[in-house]
Amino acid sequence: MAKDKVCLAYSGGLDTSCILAWLIEKGYDVVCFMADVGQEEDFEAAKQKALKIGAKEVYVEDLRREFVEELCFPAIQCNAVYENIYLLGTSLARPVIARAQISVAQKTKCTLVSHGCTGKGNDQVRFELAFYALQPSIKVIAPWRIPEFYNRFAGRNDLLEYAAQQSIPVTSTKSKPWSMDENLAHCSYEAGILEDPNTTPPTDMWKLTQDPESAPNDPEDFTLTFEKGIPVKLSYNEAGKGKAVTNPLDLFLTANTIARRHGVGRVDIVENRFIGLKSRGCYETPGLTMLRSAHLDLEGLVLDREVRALRDQFVTFNYSKILYNGLYFSPEREFLEESIKASQKNVNGQVRCRVYKGQMMVLGRSSETEKLYDATESSMDEITGFEPSETSGFIGVQAIRLKKYGTMKGEKGERL
């Protein structure tokens, strides 16, 4: 009788290597799927590791361009952010990974998929909601929610011991027991000593960015060009020569390179997970931080005030929440993305930027096509078409209800 076939989302790390061995132990044929979303990974070594453990096949899919164009760029267009700080680096990668995993599962005739997400985290929700939308008939094996598994492996030390027994090489050790997740947009760190929110992250934990204190003493300048809210060109200097990059993936990689060497994009937060728990996470998001900041600045120059207010209040908040909560493959996400496109029609121009010791500064911004900003109208040194005397009527109308409110408070003897 043929064994049930499982497509496992495999990273080559501790958790999924142990899960692979455990699934084989339970009698499944396992096809491993690896997503290249820009993480610094030796995919060939990970592939050979999976095959050595016992995987029947290993698929490695390059999803970097899809990740940048379909997830990162829309996030930049709407300035996506969760709880005012987190730029959603992990959340952004999950839809493209899930879509590719289901594609591999269908190709290899797997009737089940599996993942290594913790039973207390957000990723289990993100992946499984995506799986069910993409293939409603799929069945999911989530080891960290199966009592037999999580009672046997109560913590990372148990996994390390199991890996040693199975001769599985791992990079996580008892001296550095935090968990990492990396992609083109960021690297996240959690668990282990980081679970105490008052513990300062060790300096050797940060993988992507230079420590701001030891970053170059000279600032670096560059210019970002946007069309309809999407970064289309990055102009910079290298070895004294002017360079420009326009390919979406290359642009994102170049932004990462510049931001990383200057220590841009580190945050350390406690966030509210979708399932109701609070979690401490440390994130490095170099290039995305830089691109989003430049986009946000350009909108001040070219975006209509009321369009921006509606976008900020409704689209940005809800799109970010949808990404964080794993509802990417939903009608509401499609609706919001159309709203994002509509809001960005006039977000065209250039932003001159500088990075220096962990900070990004805007040096100036301009647009050849958008005319909302008029220097002569805004000037304090000339009248032009704006009559200052007309402001008296504007103030008078705005004051009507405030006068009534002040009168009411006075009659009640209440202090304003």
Side-chain angles (χ1 to χ4, degrees):
M1 183 176 176
K3 295 180 180 179
D4 286 334
K5 208 169 182 182
V6 184
C7 181
L8 170 66
Y10 183 72
S11 69
L14 174 64
D15 287 33
T16 55
S17 293
C18 290
I19 288 170
L20 170 57
W22 180 80
L23 287 169
I24 295 169
E25 192 180 283
K26 301 304 293 180
Y28 293 103
D29 281 342
V30 184
V31 174
C32 283
F33 157 75
M34 300 187 70
D36 179 359
V37 284
Q39 68 271 41
E40 294 178 356
E41 179 73 66
D42 186 338
F43 289 101
E44 183 57 32
K47 179 178 179 178
Q48 293 306 316
K49 180 201 267 192
L51 292 170
K52 184 178 178 181
I53 294 169
K56 296 297 182 183
E57 297 177 89
V58 180
Y59 286 78
V60 180
E61 303 291 325
D62 186 351
L63 308 174
R64 294 175 301 162
R65 183 163 184 142
E66 180 183 340
F67 177 40
V68 168
E69 293 183 343
E70 295 187 24
L71 275 300
C72 293
F73 280 179
I76 291 167
Q77 284 181 298
C78 77
N79 306 315
V81 62
Y82 183 71
E83 294 187 339
N84 303 312
I85 302 175
Y86 175 41
L87 298 190
L88 299 157
T90 298
S91 315
L92 288 167
R94 293 333 187 203
V96 293
I97 295 173
R99 185 160 51 199
Q101 184 175 355
I102 289 295
S103 177
V104 168
Q106 292 169 340
K107 185 189 306 181
T108 56
K109 299 187 176 356
C110 291
T111 56
L112 304 101
V113 291
S114 184
H115 58 73
C117 304
T118 172
K120 292 185 177 181
N122 292 313
D123 273 345
Q124 58 181 335
V125 180
R126 295 168 182 152
F127 277 121
E128 293 182 36
L129 291 180
F131 293 153
Y132 293 132
L134 292 161
Q135 185 175 325
S137 64
I138 200 71
K139 295 178 181 177
V140 178
I141 299 175
W144 286 114
R145 297 205 306 272
I146 298 173
E148 178 189 349
F149 186 88
Y150 65 69
N151 286 327
R152 181 177 178 182
F153 304 108
R156 297 189 71 76
N157 287 340
D158 292 333
L159 288 172
L160 289 166
E161 289 171 10
Y162 180 68
Q165 292 167 10
Q166 300 290 323
S167 300
I168 300 170
V170 293
T171 56
S172 178
T173 66
K174 293 181 181 180
S175 62
K176 292 185 177 181
W178 52 75
S179 174
M180 296 167 52
D181 180 76
E182 183 186 357
N183 60 47
L184 197 66
H186 89 160
C187 188
S188 66
Y189 310 85
E190 61 182 10
I193 61 171
L194 300 176
E195 289 175 351
D196 179 353
N198 200 33
T199 295
T200 302
T203 55
D204 64 346
M205 179 194 75
W206 304 101
K207 178 184 179 187
L208 300 183
T209 57
Q210 181 73 26
D211 187 331
E213 293 184 3
S214 58
N217 291 322
D218 295 321
E220 183 170 355
D221 296 351
F222 57 92
T223 300
L224 281 162
T225 302
F226 291 84
E227 290 181 5
K228 296 182 179 179
I230 293 174
V232 295
K233 183 179 180 182
L234 195 165
S235 304
Y236 63 105
N237 287 301
E238 186 173 88
K241 294 182 179 179
K243 291 194 171 185
V245 60
T246 56
N247 175 276
L249 178 56
D250 292 339
L251 187 154
F252 205 96
L253 289 168
T254 303
N256 268 340
T257 299
I258 294 171
R260 287 172 69 165
R261 66 171 162 250
H262 291 275
V264 173
R266 292 185 180 186
V267 297
D268 176 356
I269 62 171
V270 175
E271 68 199 66
N272 290 293
R273 287 179 174 169
F274 186 27
I275 63 170
L277 300 174
K278 285 189 179 290
S279 170
R280 194 269 187 93
C282 299
Y283 302 104
E284 291 177 286
T285 317
L288 185 59
T289 295
M290 210 164 72
L291 295 170
R292 179 182 180 273
S293 297
H295 173 266
L296 192 60
D297 181 85
L298 180 61
E299 286 190 327
L301 179 71
V302 301
L303 194 57
D304 177 82
R305 180 184 72 179
E306 297 305 317
V307 170
R308 184 174 189 174
L310 285 169
R311 194 279 316 276
D312 288 350
Q313 293 164 25
F314 182 73
V315 179
T316 299
F317 173 79
N318 285 289
Y319 190 74
S320 303
K321 186 173 73 171
I322 282 170
L323 286 170
Y324 189 83
N325 292 348
L327 294 166
Y328 181 82
F329 297 103
S330 65
E332 59 268 33
R333 188 271 305 174
E334 291 185 1
F335 165 72
L336 287 174
E337 280 201 353
E338 290 303 312
S339 301
I340 291 170
K341 291 174 186 175
S343 75
Q344 296 295 290
K345 290 177 181 177
N346 300 318
V347 183
N348 307 301
Q350 301 79 39
V351 184
R352 294 187 300 108
C353 308
R354 171 172 292 168
V355 283
Y356 179 66
K357 291 193 178 293
Q359 301 296 315
M360 181 192 141
M361 297 147 276
V362 171
L363 304 177
R365 76 288 295 162
S366 61
S367 177
E368 290 79 33
T369 60
E370 310 310 316
K371 307 300 180 185
L372 285 181
Y373 180 84
D374 187 326
T376 58
E377 280 187 347
S378 301
S379 175
M380 299 296 181
D381 297 321
E382 51 186 299
I383 300 298
T384 61
F386 186 90
E387 289 290 339
S389 60
E390 294 176 357
T391 306
S392 299
F394 176 78
I395 294 171
V397 170
Q398 293 294 317
I400 292 173
R401 69 184 185 89
L402 297 180
K403 288 179 178 179
K404 293 183 180 296
Y405 179 67
T407 300
M408 178 193 71
K409 295 288 279 186
E411 289 173 350
K412 292 181 177 180
E414 296 176 357
R415 183 175 180 268
L416 272 173

